[in-house]
Amino acid sequence: MTYKESINWLFNQLPLFQNIGASAYKEDLTNILLLTKHLHNPEVDFKSIHVAGTNGKGSTSSMIASVFMEAGYKVGLYTSPHLKDFRERITINGKKISKNYVHQFILNHKSFFETTELSFFEMTVGLAYQYFSDKKVDIAIIEVGMGGRLDATNSIVPLLSVITNIGKDHTAFLGDTLEKIAFEKAGIIKQNIPVVIGEYTSQTKPVFLEVARKNNSEIYFAQDETHPNYPCGLLGDYQIKNKKTVIEVFRNLKSNFKISEENIQNGIANIVLNTHLQGRWQVLQENPKVICDTAHNAHGLEMVMNQLKKETYNQLHIVLGVVNDKDLDAILPFFPKNASYYFCKPKNERGLDATTLQEKAKSYELIGNSYNSVSIAYKNALNHSSHKDVIFVGGSTFVVS
């Protein structure tokens, strides 16, 4: 079995939420605990910070990692999903896990994976734990996949938990109210472990306070604090809130780490350089200006569309695709009517048919043509654009990828 064959097996052998949705969602932590026991509990070998939230958890996780890197520490970072390369999910100091390590891990444990019917995500979390243990990282930043309470990453006991914000996404799994979703995210709050909340609402704050009280956990609310607005390597307006969360993390990280204010400032500024994070209000080219962003739910798209209003252009072009479980009535109202649309289907089994999206968009006066692929839609947007136009690409992580 080659590396490519092992990766294909990882993606195709067992349920994968990104492809098939509900059947990949596990209702408890039994399997991940079986796996960590099988691996001799590598997750206890390194210190960690656990990051959950509806939006911004990837940016926040990467920003925290970048600060630690600026302070000279060996930093593991686990995030999901990836954009182009599976190995983006597991890095140390910005360097992707090696193909050989992934290959050998799958070969060494394949029979166990098959016997226990582990999910793609559970296997990937186990891989990250083992890698960070073997490489003796000083700290690992672990991003939740979905939710928190039942997420495979909730098998760690971190130094600090972080919840960026709460919005309505994955409601079929996490609940249909902000209170229910907040409860699932708050599931990462552990006994006597402090937690930083990036943003809260009148519905979510009581949930956080109650879960923290039951766990005797100190709780900090970043949005209530005044922190420096340091320049950030990520250009999205929404990063202002993520930066506040990150600064609050380091204000309350009770450990032996030595993190200076300069480390925090440089870590925020150098996040892209240090971690190679992509797809967050990323400008791909100028003349015409092309911007892509992975925001894919109402909470995230509202912020991104508000920032798009600040752009200056002759004509706005939007390349748009979504997955088939997306609540279109919740997201389409945020998109501007004065744009030319290029509807497409993400290259993914869960991708919504482009003509279906086109028809639904018409009811919101969003007019454009449908295309057979993201690349064809994007090429058409480029061909129909002048130097002074703006092209936005988004609606799904899979479209950006």
Side-chain angles (χ1 to χ4, degrees), residues 229 234-243 281 293 303-304 306-308 310:
N229 185 19
L234 299 174
L235 303 177
D237 289 350
Y238 52 83
Q239 297 299 344
I240 292 173
K241 296 176 181 179
N242 294 333
K243 287 187 290 185
W281 198 261
D293 196 282
M303 291 184 285
V304 169
N306 283 337
Q307 184 165 357
L308 194 56
K310 299 176 183 179

Side-chain angles (χ1 to χ4, degrees), residues 259-308:
I259 308 290
S260 70
E261 196 67 20
E262 183 181 13
N263 296 149
I264 295 172
Q265 184 173 356
N266 290 340
I268 291 171
N270 297 328
I271 175 176
V272 177
L273 180 67
N274 288 338
T275 69
H276 311 296
L277 182 66
Q278 297 188 89
R280 276 67 174 181
W281 198 261
Q282 185 173 350
V283 178
L284 301 180
Q285 69 166 59
E286 299 283 355
N287 305 317
K289 187 175 186 179
V290 178
I291 303 162
C292 68
D293 196 282
T294 56
H296 57 275
N297 53 47
H299 185 262
L301 284 167
E302 181 179 14
M303 291 184 285
V304 169
M305 289 301 109
N306 283 337
Q307 184 165 357
L308 194 56

Side-chain angles (χ1 to χ4, degrees), residues 328-329 332 355-365:
L328 297 179
D329 292 315
L332 290 178
T355 55
T356 302
L357 177 58
Q358 179 189 25
E359 286 302 311
K360 183 66 175 179
K362 278 183 183 178
S363 63
Y364 289 94
E365 300 178 51

Side-chain angles (χ1 to χ4, degrees), residues 120-140:
F120 167 89
F121 194 76
E122 289 161 344
M123 290 186 283
T124 305
V125 168
L127 169 62
Y129 288 171
Q130 189 66 63
Y131 186 60
F132 295 153
S133 171
D134 287 349
K135 298 301 180 180
K136 296 179 170 55
V137 298
D138 297 313
I139 183 78

